[in-house]
């Protein structure tokens, strides 16, 4: 089964904290949470590290922690720092490709990831970061078992 992560935008932490608890993640379309979000199996800590180390060149041990907004027995909401979301808006194809290659060599529990899959994921995140910026929202993640 595993954990599902729903990334979404909200103007502030109070809005992000009002996550509909009666709905399962697959029923959350995004509008309930402020804007079209993204479902993924990628942890927010991993996403933060992928962007900050691969694109910004930040050493892995200096990646900032995520901010906990809500901790509930059934779910949690965390805020991703803007330093994770903003860098994606201005980078070009070459930087995205280089970051994908770098990150594809980092082993995780399942072994290294395919660079093209990481590249596609970073492009999804790039689109997401543009939508957040246009809406004036910050990035949050709903963690739901």
């Amino acid at each position: 089964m595993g954990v599902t992560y729903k990334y979404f935008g909200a103007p502030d932490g109070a809005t992000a904290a009002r996550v509909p608890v009666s709905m399962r993640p697959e029923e959350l379309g995004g509008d309930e949470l402020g804007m079209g979000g993204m479902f993924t199996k990628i942890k927010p800590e991993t996403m933060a590290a992928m962007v900050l180390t691969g694109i910004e060149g930040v050493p892995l041990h200096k990646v900032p922690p995520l901010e906990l907004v809500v901790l509930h027995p059934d779910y949690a909401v965390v805020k991703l720092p803007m330093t994770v979301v903003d860098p994606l808006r201005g980078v070009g194809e070459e930087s995205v490709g280089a970051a994908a290659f770098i990150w594809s060599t980092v082993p995780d529990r399942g072994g290294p990831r395919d660079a093209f899959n990481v590249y596609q994921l970073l492009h999804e995140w790039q689109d997401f970061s543009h939508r957040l910026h246009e809406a004036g929202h910050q990035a949050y993640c709903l963690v739901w078992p």
Side-chain angles (χ1 to χ4, degrees), residues 4 9 13 16 31-32 44 50 52 60 64-65 73 82 85-86 90 92 112 121 129-130 141:
T4 299
D31 292 339
E32 302 87 350
M50 190 182 301
L52 292 174
L60 199 52
M82 290 311 285
V85 181
D86 285 345
L121 175 70
S129 68
H130 282 291
C141 183

Short mmCIF file of all heavy atoms in Angstrom, two decimals, residues 4 9 13 16 31-32 44 50 52 60 64-65 73 82 85-86 90 92 112 121 129-130 141:
data_model
loop_
_atom_site.label_atom_id
_atom_site.label_comp_id
_atom_site.label_asym_id
_atom_site.label_seq_id
_atom_site.Cartn_x
_atom_site.Cartn_y
_atom_site.Cartn_z
N THR A 4 0.85 7.96 0.41
CA THR A 4 0.61 8.82 -0.73
C THR A 4 0.90 10.25 -0.31
O THR A 4 0.53 10.66 0.79
CB THR A 4 -0.85 8.71 -1.22
OG1 THR A 4 -1.10 7.38 -1.62
CG2 THR A 4 -1.10 9.64 -2.40
N GLY A 9 -1.03 23.79 -3.29
CA GLY A 9 -0.71 25.16 -2.96
C GLY A 9 -1.78 25.76 -2.07
O GLY A 9 -2.95 25.42 -2.17
N GLY A 13 -0.49 28.90 6.03
CA GLY A 13 -0.56 27.66 6.81
C GLY A 13 -1.95 27.37 7.36
O GLY A 13 -2.35 26.21 7.45
N ALA A 16 -3.85 25.80 4.60
CA ALA A 16 -3.32 24.46 4.35
C ALA A 16 -3.75 23.48 5.44
O ALA A 16 -3.93 22.29 5.17
CB ALA A 16 -1.80 24.51 4.27
N ASP A 31 -8.87 21.22 -6.15
CA ASP A 31 -9.61 22.45 -5.91
C ASP A 31 -9.95 22.62 -4.43
O ASP A 31 -9.95 23.73 -3.91
CB ASP A 31 -10.89 22.50 -6.73
CG ASP A 31 -10.60 22.61 -8.23
OD1 ASP A 31 -9.48 23.05 -8.57
OD2 ASP A 31 -11.47 22.27 -9.02
N GLU A 32 -10.21 21.50 -3.76
CA GLU A 32 -10.51 21.57 -2.33
C GLU A 32 -9.31 22.10 -1.56
O GLU A 32 -9.43 22.63 -0.48
CB GLU A 32 -10.85 20.17 -1.76
CG GLU A 32 -12.01 19.49 -2.43
CD GLU A 32 -11.57 18.69 -3.65
OE1 GLU A 32 -10.41 18.81 -4.09
OE2 GLU A 32 -12.41 17.95 -4.19
N PRO A 44 8.36 14.43 0.51
CA PRO A 44 8.73 15.84 0.41
C PRO A 44 10.19 16.10 0.76
O PRO A 44 10.83 16.97 0.17
CB PRO A 44 7.79 16.55 1.39
CG PRO A 44 7.05 15.50 2.12
CD PRO A 44 7.25 14.20 1.43
N MET A 50 16.31 16.77 -3.81
CA MET A 50 16.53 16.65 -5.24
C MET A 50 16.73 18.03 -5.88
O MET A 50 17.64 18.25 -6.66
CB MET A 50 15.35 15.93 -5.89
CG MET A 50 15.57 15.54 -7.33
SD MET A 50 14.13 14.74 -8.08
CE MET A 50 13.86 13.33 -7.04
N LEU A 52 17.35 21.04 -4.24
CA LEU A 52 18.41 21.85 -3.65
C LEU A 52 19.81 21.32 -3.95
O LEU A 52 20.73 22.11 -4.15
CB LEU A 52 18.20 21.99 -2.14
CG LEU A 52 16.98 22.83 -1.77
CD1 LEU A 52 16.75 22.81 -0.27
CD2 LEU A 52 17.12 24.25 -2.27
N LEU A 60 23.88 18.07 0.68
CA LEU A 60 22.75 17.34 1.22
C LEU A 60 22.52 17.60 2.71
O LEU A 60 21.39 17.74 3.15
CB LEU A 60 22.93 15.84 0.95
CG LEU A 60 21.71 14.95 1.02
CD1 LEU A 60 20.59 15.48 0.14
CD2 LEU A 60 22.06 13.54 0.61
N PRO A 64 17.32 22.31 4.30
CA PRO A 64 16.55 22.67 5.50
C PRO A 64 15.42 21.69 5.77
O PRO A 64 14.89 21.07 4.85
CB PRO A 64 16.00 24.06 5.16
CG PRO A 64 15.96 24.11 3.68
CD PRO A 64 17.10 23.25 3.20
N PRO A 65 15.05 21.55 7.04
CA PRO A 65 13.93 20.66 7.37
C PRO A 65 12.61 21.26 6.89
O PRO A 65 12.50 22.47 6.68
CB PRO A 65 13.97 20.59 8.90
CG PRO A 65 14.65 21.85 9.32
CD PRO A 65 15.61 22.21 8.22
N PRO A 73 -3.50 12.06 13.89
CA PRO A 73 -3.28 10.60 13.83
C PRO A 73 -3.50 10.00 12.44
O PRO A 73 -2.89 8.99 12.10
CB PRO A 73 -4.32 10.05 14.81
CG PRO A 73 -4.59 11.17 15.76
CD PRO A 73 -4.43 12.43 14.97
N MET A 82 10.18 27.84 0.32
CA MET A 82 10.16 28.43 -1.01
C MET A 82 11.51 28.23 -1.71
O MET A 82 11.58 28.25 -2.93
CB MET A 82 9.81 29.92 -0.95
CG MET A 82 8.35 30.17 -0.56
SD MET A 82 7.13 29.20 -1.50
CE MET A 82 7.14 30.07 -3.06
N VAL A 85 10.88 25.42 -4.02
CA VAL A 85 9.95 25.63 -5.14
C VAL A 85 10.47 26.67 -6.13
O VAL A 85 10.45 26.46 -7.34
CB VAL A 85 8.56 26.03 -4.61
CG1 VAL A 85 7.59 26.23 -5.74
CG2 VAL A 85 8.04 24.97 -3.65
N ASP A 86 10.96 27.79 -5.62
CA ASP A 86 11.38 28.90 -6.49
C ASP A 86 12.48 28.57 -7.50
O ASP A 86 12.39 29.02 -8.65
CB ASP A 86 11.79 30.11 -5.66
CG ASP A 86 10.59 30.84 -5.07
OD1 ASP A 86 9.45 30.59 -5.52
OD2 ASP A 86 10.79 31.66 -4.16
N GLY A 90 13.06 29.26 -12.75
CA GLY A 90 13.98 29.95 -13.64
C GLY A 90 14.99 29.08 -14.37
O GLY A 90 15.74 29.59 -15.18
N GLY A 92 16.66 26.28 -16.95
CA GLY A 92 16.42 25.81 -18.31
C GLY A 92 16.56 24.31 -18.43
O GLY A 92 16.85 23.61 -17.45
N PRO A 112 19.26 3.15 -7.72
CA PRO A 112 19.22 4.41 -8.48
C PRO A 112 18.00 4.47 -9.40
O PRO A 112 17.53 3.45 -9.88
CB PRO A 112 20.51 4.37 -9.31
CG PRO A 112 21.39 3.39 -8.61
CD PRO A 112 20.46 2.40 -7.97
N LEU A 121 9.83 14.01 -13.74
CA LEU A 121 9.35 14.45 -12.43
C LEU A 121 9.73 15.91 -12.19
O LEU A 121 8.90 16.71 -11.73
CB LEU A 121 9.94 13.57 -11.33
CG LEU A 121 9.62 14.00 -9.91
CD1 LEU A 121 8.14 13.78 -9.60
CD2 LEU A 121 10.49 13.25 -8.92
N SER A 129 5.54 24.60 -9.81
CA SER A 129 6.10 25.81 -9.20
C SER A 129 5.60 27.07 -9.92
O SER A 129 5.36 28.09 -9.29
CB SER A 129 7.62 25.76 -9.18
OG SER A 129 8.15 25.82 -10.48
N HIS A 130 5.39 26.97 -11.24
CA HIS A 130 4.83 28.11 -11.98
C HIS A 130 3.38 28.37 -11.54
O HIS A 130 2.99 29.53 -11.35
CB HIS A 130 4.88 27.87 -13.48
CG HIS A 130 6.24 28.09 -14.07
ND1 HIS A 130 6.83 29.32 -14.18
CD2 HIS A 130 7.15 27.21 -14.59
CE1 HIS A 130 8.02 29.22 -14.73
NE2 HIS A 130 8.24 27.93 -14.97
N CYS A 141 2.39 19.79 1.52
CA CYS A 141 2.23 18.39 1.19
C CYS A 141 1.35 17.71 2.24
O CYS A 141 1.62 17.81 3.44
CB CYS A 141 3.60 17.70 1.13
SG CYS A 141 3.49 15.97 0.65
#
